[in-house]
Amino acid sequence: MNIFENIADYLKGKTILVTGGTGSFGNKFIKTVLDNYDPKKVIVYSRDELKQYEMQQRLSAYSKKMRYFIGDVRDLTRLKLAMKGVDIVIHAAAIKQVPAAEYNPMECIKTNINGAENVIEAALYNNIDKVVALSTDKAANPINLYGATKLCSDKLFTAANNLVGEGRTRYAVVRYGNVSGSRGSVVPFFRKLVAEKAEYIPITDIKMTRFWISLDEGVDFVLKALVRMHGGEIFVPKIPSIKITDLATAIAPDIPQKEVGTRPGEKIHELMCPKDDSMHIIEFNSFYIIKPSITFTSANSDEAYNTTKVGEEGHPVEYGFEYNSLNNPVYMNVDEIRAFLEKVK
């Protein structure tokens, strides 16, 4: 049985709730699940009624399986109500824009930290089976507020497994880098500049590198985490890096590039597995897990994380290992980036 068969078996007849379900990830995740698996029901939980209305039009063929809840992750009472009868929660809601978080820190904290706490409590209250929270590379050794709030969120979801006792609920985290084609990606911005015949493409720092993943790959990785997880892991995919200058060249080969300086809280290189966590990192063929630093139950012993729930075997990395977009052994060149962008357009 391959892992997608495991996913199909697990999702069949399940009720799934996605916080932030009208975002880039939520739209793709929900469409993927409806097209390829057989859930009983999918619930969208988000704040924007217009986006929900537009989503209803796009997914009208699945109207019998879809439910739409207007709600904010800051609202615990509403979350508890929305999660009644739910089996699986995917927590994708967050304030994600780095500069916006720097200028509105308390709003970011209310959504990304207090909201995470509410999701955890509502899931525990409703005896949810599994919760997977989306993280970000910026949570690893954070230098901006967004990253700091997501690190706190990651710690909350990891430690939440300690609250379960004899219950069935398990929590895990998925962490990956820039998603090509998402609303937060620089790709639409570069394409807009090309369409406007801009004089130059602004590059914040010519040394900048980034991890690169498609929305489809991100969705598949989250689905795989659902069947791989014991509870308490942070899952990190092995994905290629790109140079930001190569990305600009792939999109706008005939427009000069101009270095304009980094934005508030912006890193030059992305980090997903810090060396300070190296004693907790297990390497698998296509991903890493950062196992929790505490043991929750005898079933989740330290050695249990060396093998996933579907039997994949990994091994500890060397002490001092670090996984970042600069030292990543796999880079995409300009032609590969161009082909990738054409494929995911």
Side-chain angles (χ1 to χ4, degrees):
M1 180 181 288
N2 67 41
I3 194 164
F4 288 104
E5 291 173 323
N6 291 114
I7 295 167
D9 283 349
Y10 179 62
L11 294 184
K12 186 176 178 61
K14 295 291 199 304
T15 297
I16 306 164
L17 181 142
V18 184
T19 71
T22 56
S24 301
F25 173 87
N27 268 282
K28 177 62 73 171
F29 178 88
I30 290 166
K31 185 72 162 58
T32 300
V33 168
L34 292 170
D35 285 347
N36 298 287
Y37 304 100
D38 187 24
K40 177 181 177 182
K41 189 192 306 180
V42 178
I43 300 170
V44 174
Y45 185 91
S46 67
R47 299 183 300 179
D48 193 323
E49 74 276 13
L50 175 60
K51 289 176 186 172
Q52 287 196 8
Y53 172 76
E54 292 169 345
M55 195 172 187
Q56 286 180 53
Q57 309 313 302
R58 289 194 301 274
L59 298 179
S60 58
Y62 295 106
S63 58
K64 291 183 179 179
K65 290 197 172 189
M66 293 298 300
R67 301 291 184 272
Y68 298 87
F69 274 72
I70 300 292
D72 196 312
V73 292
R74 301 181 186 188
D75 186 342
L76 176 58
T77 302
R78 183 66 169 158
L79 268 175
K80 283 183 174 179
L81 181 64
M83 286 190 197
K84 280 190 173 181
V86 169
D87 301 294
I88 299 162
V89 171
I90 307 298
H91 178 47
I95 290 178
K96 301 180 175 73
Q97 294 288 341
V98 170
E102 295 297 305
Y103 286 106
N104 302 278
M106 288 311 301
E107 297 307 302
C108 189
I109 289 167
K110 288 173 187 174
T111 295
N112 294 358
I113 298 178
N114 298 349
E117 183 182 14
N118 289 339
V119 169
I120 290 164
E121 187 172 336
L124 202 57
Y125 177 83
N126 282 288
N127 198 30
I128 304 299
D129 186 37
K130 291 182 179 179
V131 180
V132 172
L134 269 59
S135 183
T136 168
D137 55 273
K138 295 169 184 65
N141 291 2
I143 65 167
N144 55 56
L145 186 86
Y146 168 53
T149 61
K150 292 303 284 185
L151 174 61
C152 189
S153 172
D154 292 356
K155 294 292 187 182
L156 287 170
F157 277 102
T158 298
N161 292 276
N162 212 31
L163 306 173
V164 176
E166 298 301 316
R168 70 171 184 162
T169 308
R170 294 294 180 269
Y171 303 86
V173 174
V174 164
R175 174 186 292 169
Y176 50 70
N178 285 272
V179 179
S180 173
S182 70
R183 287 180 304 193
S185 167
V186 74
V187 171
F189 174 62
F190 282 177
R191 284 177 171 158
K192 179 173 176 285
L193 292 176
V194 172
E196 294 172 350
K197 296 181 169 54
E199 293 182 8
Y200 62 88
I201 300 293
I203 304 293
T204 55
D205 191 298
I206 61 171
K207 300 185 296 296
M208 186 173 288
T209 62
R210 288 290 180 262
F211 285 110
W212 208 240
I213 189 172
S214 71
L215 206 45
D216 286 324
E217 290 168 337
V219 165
D220 283 348
F221 192 64
V222 170
L223 288 168
K224 290 172 183 176
L226 278 169
V227 295
R228 285 169 168 158
M229 62 183 278
H230 294 276
E233 306 98 325
I234 297 174
F235 290 90
V236 176
K238 291 182 179 179
I239 52 179
S241 291
I242 62 166
K243 297 176 182 177
I244 197 69
T245 51
D246 286 346
L247 176 64
T249 301
I251 295 172
D254 301 321
I255 302 178
Q257 300 170 14
K258 180 180 177 181
E259 193 171 37
V260 296
T262 56
R263 299 178 301 167
E266 188 172 41
K267 286 184 178 181
I268 306 303
H269 307 292
E270 286 181 342
L271 175 64
M272 289 208 285
C273 295
K275 65 176 64 176
D276 294 326
D277 277 333
S278 60
M279 69 287 292
H280 304 303
I281 297 171
I282 308 297
E283 182 175 6
F284 295 81
N285 284 339
S286 61
F287 63 98
Y288 301 96
I289 66 163
I290 304 174
K291 61 186 181 182
S293 56
I294 55 175
T295 302
F296 308 116
T297 67
S298 57
N300 284 35
S301 65
D302 196 50
E303 291 75 21
Y305 293 100
N306 292 345
T307 305
T308 68
K309 276 285 192 178
V310 291
E312 299 157 308
E313 294 186 0
H315 59 85
V317 300
E318 292 182 1
Y319 181 77
F321 168 84
E322 182 170 281
Y323 183 46
N324 64 55
S325 61
L326 180 64
N327 74 9
N328 186 5
V330 181
Y331 271 80
M332 297 174 72
N333 62 34
V334 172
D335 288 338
E336 289 169 333
I337 294 169
R338 191 174 290 128
F340 178 93
L341 292 174
E342 194 61 37
K343 181 181 176 182
V344 302
K345 186 182 292 183

